[in-house]
Amino acid sequence: FANLGLWIADPAWQSLMEFLQFDRDAIAGGELWRLVTGNIVHWSAEHCLLDVAAFAVLGWLYEPSLRRQHERSNLPLRQSCSLPVLLLVTGYGVGLTVLVLQPDMLIYRGLSGVDSGLFAVALMLECSEAKHDAIRWWYVIPALVVFITKLLFEITTGGLFFGTQSLGDLGMPVPLAHLAGAAFAAGCFQASRIEQFDETRQRTASK
C-alpha cells in the first residue's frame, strides 16, 4: 500500500495522470480522450485501491453471468455485450455527463462511476438469472433496493451513502458520476438485449 502511494506520488506518474484526467479546459481545447481516460486515474493510493478492487470483483462476476445467458439462449456472445465495449460506453457517458451537467467540476478522476455501471449491469444479469433460479431473489431484491437508495441519496444530498462528505485523500465525491455510470451501462446492456431478442425472434420465425 505504501509502495503504491509512492508510485502514484512519483512526479512522472503525476504528469501522466494530469495528461489523462478529466480537465474541462483541456477538453474544451479538443482533448476529448479525457472524457474516457479521466475514469482510470485517481487522487491517491487509497482511492485507486478501493475503485480497482470493486472493479475487479464486478468484472469477474460479469463475464461468467453473461456467458451463461448466451449459452441458455443458444446465441453467440455478442461484441456489443462484451466487457470492453460496456466499459468504453460507460466511461464516455460518465465523462460526458459530468462535462454537461456539472459545469463547476473542473477536474475529475476516479473509476467509481464505471463501478456503479458494472454493478447496475450485474444486477440486471442476476435478475435474469433469478427467473430460472428463484432463490437468487433473496439477495437480488435487497441489493437492488440498497443500490437505488444509494443513488437517490447521493444525488439529492451530494454526499456518499457509504461514507462521509469529506473524503480526505480520496478527493470530492461526485454522485452524478455514479448515476451516469449506472444509466449508461444499463442502457448499453439493454440495447444489446433488444438486439438479441430480435435475432431470437427471427430465428424462431424462420423455423
Side-chain angles (χ1 to χ4, degrees):
F1 184 84
N3 289 337
L4 179 60
L6 292 172
W7 173 66
I8 289 179
D10 183 89
W13 285 108
Q14 282 292 335
S15 297
L16 177 61
M17 288 189 288
E18 289 174 3
F19 178 74
L20 296 176
Q21 70 186 7
F22 174 102
D23 183 320
R24 182 172 296 274
D25 292 338
I27 292 170
E31 298 179 7
L32 300 181
W33 68 82
R34 294 176 180 268
L35 291 171
V36 176
T37 59
N39 295 280
I40 64 174
V41 293
H42 294 80
W43 293 109
S44 69
E46 185 181 359
H47 186 202
C48 180
L49 282 173
L50 289 173
D51 278 358
V52 171
F55 176 82
V57 171
L58 292 168
W60 175 73
L61 291 173
Y62 175 77
E63 288 286 1
S65 296
L66 183 63
R67 290 184 183 279
R68 282 196 301 271
Q69 288 209 356
H70 280 274
E71 289 169 1
R72 186 178 292 120
S73 62
N74 293 319
L75 290 173
L77 192 63
R78 286 193 170 280
Q79 193 67 19
S80 56
C81 269
S82 70
L83 187 58
V85 172
L86 181 69
L87 296 178
L88 182 63
V89 170
T90 305
Y92 177 77
V94 169
L96 186 63
T97 301
V98 172
L99 180 71
V100 174
L101 299 182
Q102 195 155 344
D104 59 330
M105 180 64 63
L106 302 180
I107 304 293
Y108 172 76
R109 295 182 183 181
L111 196 60
S112 58
V114 174
D115 286 346
S116 290
L118 276 177
F119 190 77
V121 172
L123 281 176
M124 294 173 71
L125 283 166
E126 286 299 312
C127 285
S128 295
E129 291 288 317
K131 296 176 183 177
H132 306 278
D133 183 8
I135 198 171
R136 290 175 181 265
W137 289 117
W138 287 98
Y139 65 84
V140 170
I141 292 177
L144 186 61
V145 170
V146 170
F147 185 58
I148 293 174
T149 301
K150 172 185 178 295
L151 292 177
L152 291 176
F153 174 86
E154 291 179 345
I155 205 68
T156 55
T157 67
L160 292 178
F161 189 71
F162 300 111
T164 62
Q165 176 66 31
S166 177
L167 296 180
D169 290 340
L170 300 188
M172 293 299 296
V174 187
L176 182 63
H178 301 167
L179 182 62
F184 273 87
C188 177
F189 183 73
Q190 186 61 32
S192 70
R193 293 182 68 177
I194 291 173
E195 185 180 4
Q196 292 168 21
F197 175 77
D198 289 341
E199 180 169 331
T200 301
R201 185 172 58 182
Q202 291 172 6
R203 290 176 59 183
T204 303
S206 64
K207 291 182 179 180

